[in-house]
Amino acid sequence: MKKVYLAIFIFLMSVCLYADVTVNLFAYEGSFGVNLASKNYVMRNAGAQWVDYDKDTGKAQSDPNYYGTIHTVAHGGFFDMPDNIADDYIPEFTVTFESPTDFNYVNLANNVYQRPFKFQLYVNYNRALGSQITSDIYTIDPAHAQQTVTWKPTGGENKQEMKFDLLLVLEGEVHDNVLELNNRQYPLVEGDYSAVVTIRLTGEYKDKSNKIVKVNKSVTIPFSGYYADDGEITGDDTIGLSLFPTANAANLNIETMSNQQIPIATLDVLKHFGDTSPQGSPADHSRIFLSSSSNPFADKGEFALVHSSVPEGGTRTPANHVKYKIYAVSDTDRNAIAIFDGTATVDEIMASTNSLDYIAPVENFYPNISGINIHYHTYSGELYIEMEAPKTSMLPGMYRGTIYVHVVASDSF
């Protein structure tokens, strides 16, 4: 009998999958509602620790050994690193800052009044056991608007993250409505101030499979602040809004520019929704609209440029005013256009299903960052005016109009 031999070959295949490093860059709520005369925004010391002031009321917000949400305007970096970074590679990223106001808060009513600011880029790591250490601190101002951060592992530590907190710094003291800073004087007037800062994070790392991964993230933050010569005021500390007119806004010619879309301003808005708000929740409903009324619930009529001789509520004729519309065009999607004639109200905007009637901000959601959800909406765009052509001879002289920007969100926030 012939013997039969059965050979069994067992083929073992092992596959390792390495996920990408998580790269984040997002705004933080410390950029809203800043008192520009406050002494809380001092330079922080090396080794300063983050603190929850709501729970630890014994810590002074002006103490340079601590900082918290009130001081933090942005957060970003590389996360989930140890399992994904090649053993022989030291990753780094570069953070660049762009500010069209040259690191100044600007008064919304009169841009002559400005208040300088700067940042501290506070680089830190989380060790495997959960404790946090700080490696470097960089000062960010007009002369130092770019910094490169390098991963600095030491010994056998397992640093899981290479990240930074961006802290707002307001130097100088205000006396009798004047800021004294670096041998200069900056007069301040009561009212709202704003600034815009774009932060760009670029960098690269090599993963366990020796693939070079390049990253590029950016965020534009509209900063909101105020000055009140009698101290603190109560305001909304969840919305940042910046509206900067172009040169055209003060030099429109009704005769030669009618029936054209002329750029008159840039608009940046950021609405924070809290650390526990889930993505796409029903209450997460925010819209932006423009009107001729300071009261978002009242219709005060269509936008119009009115001759300076016409008093408030005076009779308008074809010779002393022209109507106009405002077109809002998104920077991220030039096809996303909203058109306003000045008559919109909150009730109409929130009930509308026509995307031309309102500006819809972009949702930004970052789940489980250090155990919390970061959630906010943003909008960046340009405003264009289109004036009607005059139907008769117009009075010579100056014509003026007012535009109000309204950000609407649920009462739940």
Side-chain angles (χ1 to χ4, degrees):
M1 180 178 177
K2 182 182 278 191
K3 292 183 179 179
V4 177
Y5 294 92
L6 178 62
I8 301 177
F9 295 92
I10 301 176
F11 180 67
L12 296 178
M13 181 173 66
S14 177
V15 178
C16 292
L17 297 177
Y18 295 101
D20 288 338
V21 168
T22 302
V23 182
N24 281 322
L25 176 63
F26 50 81
Y28 221 71
E29 58 193 285
S31 55
F32 309 135
V34 175
N35 178 357
L36 299 187
S38 173
K39 299 179 181 180
N40 291 331
Y41 299 91
V42 298
M43 299 282 285
R44 282 12 228 188
N45 292 333
Q49 295 292 310
W50 190 91
V51 62
D52 185 342
Y53 291 106
D54 291 334
K55 295 180 180 178
D56 193 349
T57 56
K59 299 292 192 300
Q61 294 176 353
S62 59
D63 188 336
N65 293 307
Y66 301 95
Y67 69 92
T69 300
I70 183 178
H71 310 102
T72 307
V73 299
H75 183 64
F78 290 175
F79 301 81
D80 307 319
M81 289 175 53
D83 294 334
N84 309 317
I85 297 292
D87 295 333
D88 62 344
Y89 194 79
I90 299 177
E92 67 179 23
F93 59 75
T94 298
V95 190
T96 304
F97 299 83
E98 300 171 8
S99 171
T101 61
D102 202 28
F103 292 84
N104 287 286
Y105 281 95
V106 178
N107 182 266
L108 292 179
N110 188 338
N111 61 14
V112 170
Y113 298 99
Q114 301 186 2
R115 204 270 193 238
F117 64 89
K118 60 178 59 174
F119 299 121
Q120 281 183 292
L121 189 71
Y122 224 78
V123 182
N124 47 50
Y125 303 97
N126 277 350
R127 286 182 171 142
L129 297 179
S131 61
Q132 179 171 291
I133 61 173
T134 300
S135 66
D136 296 296
I137 304 174
Y138 301 99
T139 298
I140 306 298
D141 57 25
H144 307 88
Q146 179 173 298
Q147 295 293 345
T148 297
V149 178
T150 303
W151 193 37
K152 296 179 179 178
T154 59
E157 294 174 345
N158 181 19
K159 297 187 177 70
Q160 298 171 321
E161 303 170 342
M162 178 175 72
K163 56 191 175 65
F164 67 85
D165 293 321
L166 189 67
L167 311 181
L168 177 65
V169 178
L170 298 178
E171 294 184 304
E173 292 193 6
V174 179
H175 299 286
D176 298 324
N177 301 324
V178 176
L179 169 69
E180 299 279 352
L181 179 61
N182 298 328
N183 297 318
R184 288 189 58 183
Q185 292 187 332
Y186 298 86
L188 300 174
V189 293
E190 286 197 345
D192 294 324
Y193 288 69
S194 68
V196 175
V197 177
T198 296
I199 308 170
R200 304 185 190 280
L201 186 154
T202 58
E204 66 177 35
Y205 64 89
K206 184 166 70 174
D207 66 14
K208 292 288 189 180
S209 64
N210 289 324
K211 180 180 70 174
I212 296 294
V213 181
K214 296 183 180 295
V215 299
N216 189 335
K217 297 273 188 177
S218 67
V219 62
T220 297
I221 306 176
F223 287 73
S224 64
Y226 69 89
Y227 175 68
D229 62 7
D230 57 352
E232 299 276 352
I233 62 174
T234 300
D236 193 312
D237 60 357
T238 66
I239 296 177
L241 188 152
S242 292
L243 181 66
F244 290 112
T246 67
N248 290 329
N251 292 282
L252 294 169
N253 186 311
I254 296 174
E255 184 178 9
T256 63
M257 294 181 175
S258 60
N259 290 332
Q260 304 174 55
Q261 292 182 19
I262 308 296
I264 58 168
T266 60
L267 173 64
D268 292 275
V269 178
L270 191 153
K271 172 70 177 81
H272 185 261
F273 277 94
D275 296 334
T276 59
S277 173
Q279 184 179 23
S281 61
D284 176 20
H285 202 38
S286 63
R287 290 180 176 180
I288 305 167
F289 72 95
L290 282 57
S291 80
S292 65
S293 173
S294 60
N295 180 354
F297 295 92
D299 178 358
K300 290 295 182 67
E302 294 177 288
F303 287 131
L305 291 168
V306 182
H307 193 268
S308 58
S309 64
V310 180
E312 180 71 23
T315 301
R316 297 181 183 181
T317 69
N320 66 22
H321 84 287
V322 292
K323 297 177 182 178
Y324 64 88
K325 292 182 180 179
I326 297 296
Y327 292 73
V329 182
S330 170
D331 287 343
T332 56
D333 180 2
R334 303 302 289 182
N335 292 318
I337 301 174
I339 306 173
F340 304 98
D341 66 1
T343 64
T345 64
V346 168
D347 292 337
E348 293 174 355
I349 292 301
M350 299 309 282
S352 176
T353 59
N354 186 348
S355 61
L356 295 176
D357 291 342
Y358 58 86
I359 296 171
V362 176
E363 184 176 29
N364 299 267
F365 186 72
Y366 302 88
N368 196 28
I369 302 297
S370 301
I372 60 175
N373 295 330
I374 306 299
H375 192 191
Y376 56 85
H377 285 181
T378 57
Y379 177 79
S380 293
E382 294 180 280
L383 303 183
Y384 296 78
I385 188 173
E386 184 177 278
M387 299 175 289
E388 291 185 354
K391 297 180 174 59
T392 185
S393 296
M394 304 292 296
L395 294 175
M398 182 68 67
Y399 289 73
R400 294 186 177 90
T402 303
I403 301 169
Y404 294 93
V405 180
H406 306 284
V407 183
V408 185
S410 168
D411 291 336
S412 300
F413 296 94

